[in-house]
Amino acid sequence: MKRVGLSKNRHEHYLAGSILPVKINFSRMKKYLFILAFITIPLLTAFAKRTDISNTDDPLTVAKLIADRLIRVTPFKYKLVVAPNNKIFNNVQFVDFGRTFQLGKPAVAYAYTSLNVPEDMQTTLEIEHNDGCKVWLNNQLVYVQRGDRKVNLHFEERSIEMNNQFKVNLKKGTNYLLVKSETNGDDWRVYIQPPSAKGAVINDKNLEIGLGNIKNVDAKISQITNWLVIGPFANPVSQGKRVGLDEVYAPEKEIRFGCLYQGLASKVTWTIPKIEILGDMINPFAWGTNYDWNYHNGGVCWAMEQLAEVTGEKKYNDYASRFCDFHIEGIPFVEYQLKTLNAFNCANHFIIDTPLLDFTTAPALPMIYKLRKNQSFPNRDKYAIFVDSIIKYARYKQIRLPGKSNFTRTTPEKYTTWTDDMFMGIPFLVQASQYIKDSATSKALLDDAASQILDFHSQVWDPDKNLYVHARYSGSNVKLPYWSRANGWAIWAITEVLMNLPHNHPAYNKILGYYRKHVASLTKLQDKSGFWFNVLNRPDSQKEISGTAIFTMAIARGINNGWIDARKYRSVAERGWEAIKTQIEPDGTVHKICVGTMCSEDVNYYMNRPLYDNDTHGLFAVLFAGIEMAKMEKMGK
């Protein structure tokens, strides 16, 4: 056999031991190997990542990944921060003379700031105060009220309403605002804000407030406060009446810095109001934290309680208890910040007297569920007192649509029916019906839940599309978009009622019919990938997790309870679950969750909503989906 030797080209070799000599071009081989690696390594990496979670067959294992991450990253603590100072004039501005001067007897004082606007304009300002008050704009008196009065703020869904208004003509650029306030020795506060309407503060004038445009005020001062104050001055009595409000003191004549004036008991000069230190949440995301007081964090805890039941693992119940205890024990602190420190946007302020289901019934679900399931635990009495107050709120205080039983809102206009409120309020009514010992009250609560389903359906169901619109304005037939998660809230609430309503209840078959028709319509809109789109009838909108998880849960729940044919719908739930798993990382991170959303007639508002990782709007939906999918698989349906 001829000896195989080297070719003239040192990069070409022959394979020894071959029957026939094989010529190899190593230069070309390296090129091909590089291309092959470039193509296959990302594919292998993606496959490896996919294998970790997408090939996980047990739905509870998937749910536990998410739950374990929540346990790792959620602190249930406050951090201390300086009270934030907002220069955009779109919320309540206030001066608390009482906390600044600590006086406790009759006096007057002044507060000074500026309003900056891009052009000449007229607008209306709202004001609330105790006792007498005067306001000057650019040295012109624009508001005066005399006599004793108490502060009377009206807390609405997402704003604070005030009793008094005054018009102002603002010139382009900087305008100077001087407020004079008196006290009879009790309260001593002044609040001011742009006009408020339909539950929301409106600033469409690009108003700015603060000290940044006032000459000779250091920028560091304007960073921490929008106001200068001076006082207290005397508020003497003449002929049985206090006259300090009409006594002309130096600040009314001229604003001068670096001067001392004779005050009530000593010399006074310009200073700043007392700066407060507040308790705030730790490491908030763009959408908030995992433990703010709201419905989606409460929903996570409700899911954790039920995950503990199906897995037998106490740590998930402990997480829910930490959430509930954090808020129950923190109520006095939050109320102090809100009502004493005037920190209207302080952490968890929504837990105090907010007339909105998002912050009353829905986040209280894990509390009432724990009261139902556990007869003895620390803080049980506090839970019971709080839950009883929420039950009374839902029955007697929450606004309802005239002539109907369903919950409604004042935003964006009075008597707007939101599909969201089917979930925000109805599951709590169902839980309350199981918690209350009195049979008549229990029946009334469950009947209310059933009636709510019927009346919501009459308002926000679109029979042309067999879907729920996001909301409906009273007296209007404008159809808002078919937002995915809103349809999820609707079908979730319906399943909660069906699971607890006696089959012989007059409303049962009608509600079951609503459920079946909705499931049939949703099934047609499921993408081949298993996802549903953020706007259900718009395949050009984003594939989204929270809606997909709720529909998956609701369909699996229907199979588990025999409401729909397993042979027809099992594959729909399975495709949804498989799609969900593609967006879950091995560390429990969940992708593609739509952020919290107001309602709008503009479909592009929904098309362009941002999607975030680990937003609890989606996490608790995925947890519930995992629980129902596990039940479905266990039952072999």
Side-chain angles (χ1 to χ4, degrees), residues 401 406-408 415-419 456 459-460 470-472:
L401 191 65
N406 63 277
F407 298 132
T408 187
Y415 302 131
T416 298
T417 298
W418 290 57
T419 300
F456 267 105
Q459 295 299 305
V460 288
H470 188 192
R472 180 183 176 186

Side-chain angles (χ1 to χ4, degrees), residues 66 86 126 130 166 170 197 247 272 418 473 525 534 542 571:
I66 299 167
N86 183 21
E126 293 187 353
N130 60 277
F166 60 96
L170 300 170
E247 185 78 21
I272 61 173
W418 290 57
Y473 309 133
L525 293 168
N534 200 39
Q542 302 180 85
S571 62

